[in-house]
Amino acid sequence: MSPAHAGLVVASYRGGSTYAPGYETVVIVSAIAVMAVACVLIFRHLRRRYRESTPVADQWQALAVMGELCPHGWQAQITLYGWGAPVPADAPPSRVPPVELEWKQFDDEFGRVTVVRRVWAPTIGGALQTMVDDRRTDVTLEQIEQAAAEDGDVWWIE
């Protein structure tokens, strides 16, 4: 017995010793097929929507990603603090010596600094990942603002 035939037999079985008429079997099989297709479409939509960007593995990958995200230039400085070393007052509490990464994004016109950020992490890789995530968030917000400005739906500009 083929799987399709077995599915029709199961779909037409009502319990006891009676079977559903042919049209009911077709309706049941069609409903199952529609639900399966809907599940696949929902799964694909959610997978695309919540797709995590690949994490940066090392400083060279962070360099390449930031070069794409900051086409007019950027600069970063990493500071490692040892056990018992004095840390700035704005450093978050940590059980391990913190890593500070301060980065700047430059403007295209005269090399002016447009963004300055400081991030803290327990590792250098974590600090690099946080820097890349911050810049990706900035790019997303810039795209949203640009789309809103093109649609004329900008309430913050008078």
Side-chain angles (χ1 to χ4, degrees):
M1 180 182 304
S2 71
H5 185 15
L8 288 174
V9 169
V10 169
S12 67
Y13 187 68
R14 284 187 171 177
S17 61
T18 61
Y19 288 92
Y23 69 91
E24 285 184 9
T25 302
V26 171
V27 170
I28 291 170
V29 170
S30 300
I32 291 171
V34 167
M35 287 188 284
V37 169
C39 287
V40 167
L41 293 175
I42 290 170
F43 175 75
R44 287 181 61 200
H45 172 72
L46 292 175
R47 186 168 181 201
R48 286 183 186 163
R49 184 175 177 195
Y50 295 112
R51 182 177 297 165
E52 293 290 325
S53 57
T54 57
V56 293
D58 59 11
Q59 72 243 17
W60 299 112
Q61 190 175 9
L63 178 69
V65 172
M66 286 297 287
E68 294 172 5
L69 295 173
C70 302
H72 305 294
W74 64 283
Q75 178 182 9
Q77 177 179 342
I78 298 175
T79 306
L80 306 174
Y81 293 94
W83 292 103
V87 294
D90 65 339
S94 177
R95 294 177 184 244
V96 297
V99 175
E100 173 191 11
L101 189 144
E102 186 172 11
W103 66 278
K104 303 173 187 176
Q105 177 187 351
F106 298 110
D107 192 6
D108 58 340
E109 295 178 8
F110 302 106
R112 292 180 291 153
V113 176
T114 56
V115 175
V116 177
R117 298 260 169 76
R118 181 186 308 182
V119 297
W120 296 91
T123 64
I124 294 173
L128 292 171
Q129 182 64 51
T130 304
M131 173 183 68
V132 169
D133 290 344
D134 280 354
R135 183 60 193 134
R136 283 182 176 149
T137 301
D138 289 344
V139 168
T140 302
L141 291 174
E142 289 168 5
Q143 291 170 347
I144 292 169
E145 288 175 357
Q146 183 179 10
E150 288 174 359
D151 293 342
D153 190 21
V154 182
W155 54 268
W156 62 85
I157 298 176
E158 296 184 27

